[in-house]
Amino acid sequence: MCIRDSACNGWITVGTLIVFTSTLGMLLFPIRQLGRTLSDAGKAMVSMKRVQAILHEEAEPDEPNALKPDLHGDIVFDHVSFAYPDDNVPVLRDVSFTIPAGKTAAVLGGTGSGKSTMMYLLQRLYTPTSGKITIGGVDIQQIDRKYLRAHVGLILQEPFLYSKSIRENVGITAPEQEAERIEHAADIASASGFIAKADKGWETVVGERGVTISGGQKQRSSIARALMKDAPILLLDDALSAVDTDTERQILDNLHRLRKGRTTIIVAHRISTIQDADHILVLDEGKVEEYGTHEELLNNGKLYASLYRKQQLEKELHEEGGAAHAE
């Protein structure tokens, strides 16, 4: 049996056609795989650069003569300015304020105003370009890094949870503590409700970075974990942004009742989160624009008052929209 083809005197056999198509099929697969291999090679090169950057990062030097003072004193920013390496534009500019020991302070400001940078400076993750930060009169640059970080509870907006059970994640900073303390910390963070509803309760595995739970549940779990340290200083860097307002209020009320001399600093965008703080600091482009209580700042009629009116209007419009939708 032959098939007509002008390149072969008008005819080829079925066998020749089968051999041709089979050979073509065997050639196509390696060519396609070559494209995938080149793509994977590009990803591997990028990954290798990231791994090398970590491996070549210099370890923080030991500090055998560093101080380990009591950290229950006032936190003072004394004319602090800071710019990130290789960036000439300062993030913080001549920032000065005092947070009395055992009080709750709040930091409000727009994106890029330097709020998170202040939290990193307090943990000695960076060093001020000028000025100094003291706790109880001691410059934090003289305090042992490990000691400082062990006594400061930091809760980030995007917390990191390990691929372990909820109980292991919450109790990881104090693994020797009994179950009652872990559950009590979860109660304060309003996390007990969703934990009880989880498939395996406290033994539910949340996955790397907490992929199996919501953003609000991750934040509540990280708050409970930080409370297990019983640190004298607690930093909440927009750590309530993913929870609803009712849960937010419950957590803040619990923290206020159980403060016990703990100095708390809350970074937030919502004024409802910070209006009950003892002191409120308003940052704008790295500068301190206002400092005072909620009532004092409202009476000033400046940036804080403007943000308050704007958020109140947004809240009223949202409530009206929800009511109209319900009807």
Side-chain angles (χ1 to χ4, degrees):
M1 181 178 178
C2 293
I3 300 175
R4 186 171 183 82
D5 190 290
S6 60
C8 186
N9 298 322
W11 301 91
I12 62 171
T13 64
V14 173
T16 303
L17 178 62
I18 293 174
V19 170
F20 174 76
T21 54
S22 298
T23 304
L24 185 62
M26 287 187 290
L27 287 173
L28 285 176
F29 180 75
I31 292 173
R32 289 174 179 172
Q33 283 298 104
L34 179 62
R36 295 192 183 98
T37 301
L38 292 174
S39 176
D40 291 341
K43 295 177 182 177
M45 291 297 292
V46 174
S47 299
M48 181 58 68
K49 290 180 181 178
R50 293 175 179 174
V51 171
Q52 288 177 342
I54 294 173
L55 293 176
H56 291 106
E57 184 70 26
E58 294 184 6
E60 292 181 327
D62 294 330
E63 300 175 308
N65 299 320
L67 304 176
K68 296 182 179 180
D70 180 16
L71 298 180
H72 287 86
D74 296 351
I75 298 175
V76 179
F77 276 63
D78 185 10
H79 298 284
V80 172
S81 296
F82 175 76
Y84 284 100
D86 303 323
D87 189 354
N88 295 324
V89 180
V91 180
L92 295 177
R93 309 164 191 241
D94 196 30
V95 173
S96 296
F97 62 90
T98 299
I99 303 174
K103 298 296 184 180
T104 297
V107 183
L108 179 72
T111 302
S113 60
K115 305 185 300 298
S116 295
T117 300
M118 287 174 52
M119 303 300 104
Y120 299 151
L121 290 173
L122 269 171
Q123 289 224 316
R124 286 196 62 191
L125 295 173
Y126 294 105
T127 302
T129 307
S130 62
K132 65 179 180 178
I133 304 171
T134 62
I135 301 177
V138 180
D139 190 337
I140 64 171
Q141 299 304 316
Q142 301 175 2
I143 301 175
D144 182 80
R145 289 188 185 90
K146 293 181 180 179
Y147 177 83
L148 176 65
R149 294 165 189 170
H151 290 77
V152 175
L154 176 62
I155 308 164
L156 300 173
Q157 181 179 2
E158 291 293 336
F160 188 93
L161 297 182
Y162 299 93
S163 184
K164 296 178 179 290
S165 69
I166 298 175
R167 185 181 299 279
E168 290 174 306
N169 271 288
V170 172
I172 200 166
T173 57
E176 302 299 325
Q177 299 298 334
E178 65 279 3
E180 290 183 2
R181 275 206 62 201
I182 296 175
E183 294 172 6
H184 180 59
D187 288 337
I188 298 173
S190 297
S192 299
F194 86 84
I195 294 173
K197 296 177 182 178
D199 293 338
K200 297 182 180 179
W202 279 96
E203 305 310 317
T204 302
V205 177
V206 299
E208 192 80 5
R209 303 185 71 90
V211 294
T212 61
I213 58 178
S214 70
Q217 291 168 346
K218 285 192 289 186
Q219 287 187 337
R220 282 177 277 172
S221 298
S222 66
I223 291 172
R225 180 172 61 190
L227 292 174
M228 288 295 296
K229 295 175 68 173
D230 197 23
I233 299 174
L234 185 63
L235 309 178
L236 285 79
D237 188 3
D238 212 8
L240 299 172
S241 59
V243 302
D244 59 80
T245 53
D246 292 336
T247 303
E248 173 190 78
R249 176 50 49 195
Q250 185 178 0
I251 294 172
L252 292 174
D253 289 344
N254 291 340
L255 289 175
H256 182 75
R257 286 196 298 269
L258 300 172
R259 186 165 57 189
K260 295 180 181 178
R262 179 185 292 116
T263 304
T264 305
I265 302 178
I266 303 173
V267 172
H269 289 91
R270 294 189 302 217
I271 290 181
S272 61
T273 306
I274 64 173
Q275 62 184 15
D276 294 329
D278 299 306
H279 304 277
I280 299 174
L281 176 75
V282 182
L283 284 178
D284 185 30
E285 296 183 354
K287 296 181 180 179
V288 178
E289 289 295 325
E290 298 178 82
Y291 186 69
T293 64
H294 174 70
E295 290 75 15
E296 290 172 348
L297 297 181
L298 285 182
N299 291 333
N300 287 342
K302 297 181 180 179
L303 179 60
Y304 183 87
S306 175
L307 289 172
Y308 179 77
R309 289 192 296 270
K310 180 180 178 181
Q311 292 186 14
Q312 286 295 107
L313 179 60
E314 290 175 349
K315 180 181 177 181
E316 291 173 2
L317 292 174
H318 178 74
E319 290 175 349
E320 291 176 0
H325 181 73
E327 292 176 359

